[in-house]
């Protein structure tokens, strides 16, 4: 009987997925904290729904654009660097193939292979795809899987918006007298969940991460509400 072969993510693919997931959680966390700070701060100054909604939506849009732009610039710079490294490797393979083969052999020797085995592996991999062999061993890159700046920017914006919507919806959908308490509760619960997920992905202790992010969020909300209350009273 033929055994079924299951495709599973390995090595770099799994690591890349975890990195994307971790970045998504952190982006959502930023959206929760920044938008919650804005709407709770405005709620401390006024009970009018209009100013709260305007400030919240403006903060959501500005934050999403800022996150997307920052991620696009960062990943574009990384991609340019990776392309420059690939071009350099292609040039070296073209101009000094013998030296590059020796370099690859030494790299595999450094990983624990005998000289003979390392040379055989390096030779066979070079004959199959010299560029792929060198960039994998030296640069840990896949020429066909470079990170997309547009994809990174889009993912960052979506993550931020998904987090920012929580406090915005909570404060607008709640009766006036319950706005701040309900929003704070929703935000702290969401932050606790985000902290737990981040800790699990990073292999850290979830309890400590959750406590840290919840206490930090509570402090931030208290400060912004207090500032809003003081400014609202002074201006009013």
């Amino acid at each position: 009987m033929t055994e079924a072969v299951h495709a599973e993510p390995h090595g770099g693919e799994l690591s890349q997925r975890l990195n994307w997931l971790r970045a998504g959680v952190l982006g959502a966390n930023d959206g929760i904290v920044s938008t919650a700070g804005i709407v709770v701060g405005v709620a401390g100054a006024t009970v009018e729904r209009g100013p709260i909604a305007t400030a919240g939506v403006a903060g959501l849009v500005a934050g999403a654009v800022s996150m997307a732009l920052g991620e696009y610039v960062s990943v574009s710079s990384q991609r340019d660097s990776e392309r420059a490294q690939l071009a350099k490797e292609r040039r070296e393979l073209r101009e000094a193939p013998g030296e590059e083969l020796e370099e690859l052999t030494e790299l595999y020797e450094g990983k624990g292979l005998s000289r003979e085995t390392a040379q055989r592996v390096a030779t066979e991999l070079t004959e199959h795809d010299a560029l792929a062999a060198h960039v994998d061993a030296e640069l840990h890159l896949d020429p066909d899987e470079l990170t997309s700046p547009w994809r990174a920017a889009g993912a960052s914006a979506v993550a931020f918006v998904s987090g920012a919507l929580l406090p915005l919806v909570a404060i607008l959908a709640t009766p006036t007298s319950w706005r701040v308490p309900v929003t704070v509760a929703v935000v702290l619960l969401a932050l606790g969940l985000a902290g737990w997920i981040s800790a699990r992905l990073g292999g850290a202790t979830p309890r400590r991460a959750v406590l840290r992010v919840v206490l930090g969020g509570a402090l931030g909300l208290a400060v912004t509400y207090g500032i809003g209350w003081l400014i609202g009273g002074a201006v009013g």
Side-chain angles (χ1 to χ4, degrees):
M1 180 181 296
T2 303
E3 295 183 358
V5 177
H6 300 281
E8 298 180 356
H10 295 284
E13 182 183 356
L14 179 59
S15 177
Q16 187 175 25
R17 289 185 183 182
L18 290 176
N19 287 336
W20 276 105
L21 183 55
R22 186 179 294 109
V25 172
L26 293 176
N29 185 81
D30 287 343
I32 294 169
V33 172
S34 61
T35 305
I38 291 172
V39 295
V40 168
V42 176
T46 178
V47 295
E48 296 293 327
R49 188 183 300 270
I52 296 174
T54 301
V57 172
L60 182 152
V61 174
V65 171
S66 176
M67 290 284 289
L69 182 59
E71 193 71 12
Y72 179 82
V73 171
S74 175
V75 174
S76 293
S77 298
Q78 176 186 336
R79 190 180 178 92
D80 290 343
S81 176
E82 291 172 346
R83 285 176 169 172
Q85 290 177 310
L86 291 173
K88 178 175 180 289
E89 199 63 42
R90 288 191 183 95
R91 185 174 64 254
E92 290 176 347
L93 285 169
R94 183 174 60 254
E95 296 176 354
E99 293 178 9
E100 289 297 296
L101 178 60
E102 177 60 26
E103 183 181 17
L104 189 59
T105 300
E106 292 176 355
L107 285 171
Y108 285 116
E109 277 190 282
K111 293 182 178 181
L113 298 181
S114 66
R115 172 71 184 182
E116 181 182 357
T117 302
Q119 194 168 37
R120 183 167 63 251
V121 170
T123 300
E124 291 182 4
L125 289 176
T126 298
E127 290 174 351
H128 175 71
D129 190 332
L131 179 63
H134 280 268
V135 297
D136 177 63
E138 295 181 44
L139 309 176
H140 308 292
L141 294 176
D142 184 341
D144 299 322
E145 294 293 335
L146 299 183
T147 305
S148 167
W150 289 107
R151 184 183 301 175
S156 181
V158 169
F160 185 92
V161 171
S162 66
L165 284 173
L166 289 174
L168 184 59
V169 171
I171 204 164
L172 294 179
T174 307
T176 303
S177 59
W178 287 93
R179 278 178 183 168
V180 174
V182 169
T183 302
V184 169
V186 169
V187 167
L188 295 184
L189 182 62
L191 288 176
L193 179 60
W196 183 85
I197 294 174
S198 296
R200 296 291 295 178
L201 291 174
T205 303
R207 182 181 301 177
R208 183 179 301 173
V210 169
L211 184 62
R212 182 168 55 238
V213 73
V214 169
L215 289 178
L219 179 61
L221 293 178
V223 170
T224 54
Y225 180 81
I227 292 174
W229 181 78
L230 289 172
I231 293 177
V235 173

